[in-house]
Amino acid sequence: MRGGIVMSTAGTVPAVSRWYRAMSWMLIGHLFTTITFDVLGLDLILPAIAGVFQALGLRALRRENRWFARAYPCMVLLAVYRLFWLLAGFTIWYGFLSEQPVIHVLSWGGLVLRGVVLFLLWKGVGEAAAKAGLPGTEKPFLGLLIWYMVIV
């Protein structure tokens, strides 16, 4: 083990890199926002946990390029938004809050913020792949972005 990176048996490629760990957090968070269980408050708990996972993943990548640096504060804001709904969902004020016009604006704002974060991730992955010399790696991510926006 050298500098926090576990070396493989060949000694050439790290077994766990910063990218692997960060993208694992991001994909776990993405999975939790896609799954919806309307039982036991899981429809509020899973997106809140997802926001934290995604913010942790972007925290590791924010120094990689300008797109990830811009996506990190947006993701933190989205995580705070999801935690707000988690806390509001388990109070007696949930019915009152959900009927307020300001909350409808916040709901649309949350949807737009998700789209902004996904767009910034798409551009960040594209720039990082171009820097690494991997052509054509942003097309699958664009498909994921479109699929996520259609599903959510």
Side-chain angles (χ1 to χ4, degrees):
M1 184 154 144
R2 182 177 251 171
I5 297 175
V6 180
M7 299 301 284
S8 67
T9 55
T12 57
V13 180
V16 178
S17 69
R18 176 177 45 157
W19 270 91
Y20 179 79
R21 188 175 308 134
M23 284 300 165
S24 296
W25 286 113
M26 294 292 297
L27 287 175
I28 289 170
H30 188 73
L31 176 71
F32 281 175
T33 58
T34 307
I35 297 172
T36 303
F37 293 113
D38 198 11
V39 63
L40 299 174
L42 288 177
D43 58 328
L44 300 172
I45 294 171
L46 290 178
I49 293 171
V52 172
F53 280 158
Q54 289 176 329
L56 286 173
L58 271 176
R59 184 176 181 272
L61 295 177
R62 68 177 186 238
R63 292 187 184 97
E64 232 11 82
N65 60 40
R66 62 189 168 124
W67 299 106
F68 288 140
R70 291 176 184 160
Y72 178 67
C74 293
M75 193 64 237
V76 169
L77 187 62
L78 188 58
V80 168
Y81 170 79
R82 289 173 177 165
L83 288 172
F84 164 76
W85 276 112
L86 173 67
L87 295 176
F90 289 110
T91 64
I92 59 173
W93 298 103
Y94 182 71
F96 174 73
L97 285 174
S98 63
E99 295 172 359
Q100 300 303 315
V102 173
I103 298 301
H104 295 294
V105 172
L106 282 177
S107 296
W108 281 104
L111 184 64
V112 169
L113 192 57
R114 285 182 205 158
V116 167
V117 166
L118 287 174
F119 173 76
L120 292 172
L121 286 175
W122 171 53
K123 296 303 276 183
V125 166
E127 186 174 309
K131 189 168 114 177
L134 301 171
T137 53
E138 57 185 33
K139 285 185 181 179
F141 201 83
L142 177 63
L144 179 66
L145 178 121
I146 292 170
W147 176 79
Y148 185 75
M149 291 308 289
V150 168
I151 293 297
V152 173

